[in-house]
């Protein structure tokens, strides 16, 4: 099977070879040193401000989202949440579960977050803001420079879900005034699912240290304290963290995060240029489309999006990314992260040709 979903994605041979080895004991100096390296690389690739920290949480990206909401916000806050799809909606659900006052900025599927929309909330006493770098369900990339400037102007704590967008789209905590950001092991890092990484600036660290969190597993104070010795409070996904260390080192050696951004951008461009032969159109304009994924609306032909997903999977051995809800039969997605080559993209395009015709 060839995997064009947005997570879990295809791993390279180096990562797979490590996954085939025995899991070592981890309460050791050697593992602590590896974790210190992981933190240093992650902070560098997120362009995290000085005195920032990283938390390595065993759990999916949603675990990272919930842990962040619990530790950075309380019932004394007033939070703006951008809901432009499935993952923006997840933030609204978390705010409700944890009784955090919030205002929802509801966007239609595929709608851009514009400065005109954001200006409606200027100087209204908001203390926090939560949104995605890219809304993976629709492929929309939010203008994080605009958002960051708005938050700095209004003294708003900015939490960014970059679970899918990290490495695919530019992200700089320094330049974009981001206080905390989240990613997951199974996305562009191309590791097995299991680990969520939360990157904190100094303000976020202080918030977490002073938070009154009624949870054993999601109490970020314990993670920060344990990371002082290169450890986690509970058993982590040891093998994934070892694979992460190898992967981060190789990213650094091959040109760093800028090079990864460019690789994924070119991969997305290569794929998108070949769509014009089919009854497809990009669900969002390229001007604000994430490099992580292309959401495609079917405009004609014999199959709807759900049927196409099944045919491609069963007859061609290729996974594309289905949608749920109102978009299930209208829109499918093709991911551009992970260990994907142009030759594999060509195989997907050939499958489209056989189903829909085209040159």
């Amino acid at each position: 099977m060839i995997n064009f979903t947005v997570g879990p994605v295809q791993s390279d041979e180096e990562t797979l070879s490590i996954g085939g080895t025995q899991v070592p004991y981890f309460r050791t100096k050697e593992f602590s040193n590896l974790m210190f390296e992981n933190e240093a690389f992650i902070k560098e690739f997120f362009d995290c401000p000085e005195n920032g920290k990283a938390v390595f949480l065993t759990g999916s990206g949603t675990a990272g989202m919930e842990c962040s909401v619990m530790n950075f916000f309380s019932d004394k806050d007033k939070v703006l949440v951008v809901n432009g799809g499935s993952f923006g909606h997840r933030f609204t659900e978390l705010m409700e579960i944890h009784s955090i006052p919030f205002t929802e900025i509801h966007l239609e599927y595929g709608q851009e977050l514009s400065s005109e929309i954001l200006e409606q909330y200027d100087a209204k006493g908001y203390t926090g803001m939560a949104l995605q770098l890219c809304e993976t369900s629709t492929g929309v990339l939010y203008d994080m420079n605009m958002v960051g400037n708005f938050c700095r102007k209004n003294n708003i704590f900015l939490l960014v879900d970059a679970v899918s967008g990290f490495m695919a789209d530019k992200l700089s905590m320094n330049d974009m005034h981001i206080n905390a950001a989240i990613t997951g092991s199974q996305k562009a890092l191309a590791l097995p699912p299991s680990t969520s990484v939360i990157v904190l600036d100094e303000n976020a660290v202080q918030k977490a240290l002073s938070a009154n969190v009624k949870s054993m597993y999601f109490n970020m104070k314990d993670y920060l304290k344990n990371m002082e010795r290169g450890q986690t409070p509970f058993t982590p996904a040891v093998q994934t963290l070892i694979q992460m260390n190898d992967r981060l080192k190789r990213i650094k050696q091959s040109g760093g995060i800028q090079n990864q951004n460019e690789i994924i951008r070119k991969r997305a461009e290569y794929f998108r240029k070949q769509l014009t032969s089919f009854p497809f159109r990009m669900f969002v304009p390229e001007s604000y489309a994430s490099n992580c994924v292309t959401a495609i609306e079917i405009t004609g032909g014999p199959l709807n999006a759900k049927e196409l997903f099944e045919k491609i999977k069963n007859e061609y051995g290729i996974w594309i990314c289905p949608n749920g809800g109102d978009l299930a039969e209208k829109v499918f997605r093709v991911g551009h992260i992970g260990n994907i080559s142009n030759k594999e993209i060509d195989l997907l395009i050939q499958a489209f040709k056989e189903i829909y015709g085209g040159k």
Side-chain angles (χ1 to χ4, degrees), residues 215-274:
S215 171
M216 177 180 286
Y217 198 77
F218 287 131
N219 192 329
M220 205 178 284
K221 283 192 288 286
D222 287 345
Y223 288 86
L224 293 168
K225 181 179 179 181
N226 276 270
M227 195 58 204
E228 291 176 4
R229 62 190 182 103
Q231 293 287 334
T232 57
F234 312 105
T235 303
V238 175
Q239 199 77 312
T240 303
L241 291 168
I242 294 171
Q243 291 170 309
M244 183 181 294
N245 184 258
D246 174 75
R247 177 89 165 100
L248 293 171
K249 284 179 177 176
R250 289 188 285 115
I251 289 171
K252 176 69 173 178
Q253 292 166 359
S254 65
I257 196 69
Q258 291 79 14
N259 186 52
Q260 293 298 311
N261 288 160
E262 187 63 10
I263 288 171
I264 297 172
R265 184 195 67 77
K266 286 181 177 178
R267 190 180 297 155
E269 183 181 65
Y270 181 81
F271 171 75
R272 290 167 182 170
K273 281 182 175 178
Q274 302 185 69

Side-chain angles (χ1 to χ4, degrees), residues 109 279-281 283 295-300 303-308 323-333:
Y109 293 135
F280 298 159
R281 65 181 172 212
F283 190 62
I296 300 165
E297 184 175 8
I298 297 179
T299 57
L303 303 175
N304 65 35
K306 191 174 182 179
E307 293 166 340
L308 178 62
N323 258 322
D326 296 340
L327 299 180
E329 296 186 355
K330 301 175 183 177
V331 176
F332 69 94
R333 294 167 293 156

Side-chain angles (χ1 to χ4, degrees), residues 63-130:
M65 292 171 72
E66 183 158 26
C67 183
S68 297
V69 167
M70 293 172 70
N71 284 268
F72 300 140
F73 305 123
S74 73
D75 59 5
K76 296 179 178 61
D77 280 294
K78 184 180 175 184
V79 181
L80 274 173
V81 178
V82 177
N83 178 3
S86 301
F87 297 97
H89 179 65
R90 193 162 298 177
F91 264 138
T92 69
E93 292 179 297
L94 289 168
M95 299 295 169
E96 290 173 348
I97 288 168
H98 295 288
S99 301
I100 296 165
F102 74 97
T103 298
E104 177 184 359
I105 302 177
H106 181 78
L107 304 177
E108 298 299 323
Y109 293 135
Q111 183 182 357
E112 183 180 18
L113 177 63
S114 66
S115 58
E116 290 78 15
I117 293 173
L118 209 51
E119 283 168 5
Q120 299 174 41
Y121 304 93
D122 191 35
K124 296 290 177 64
Y126 289 99
T127 60
M129 186 169 183

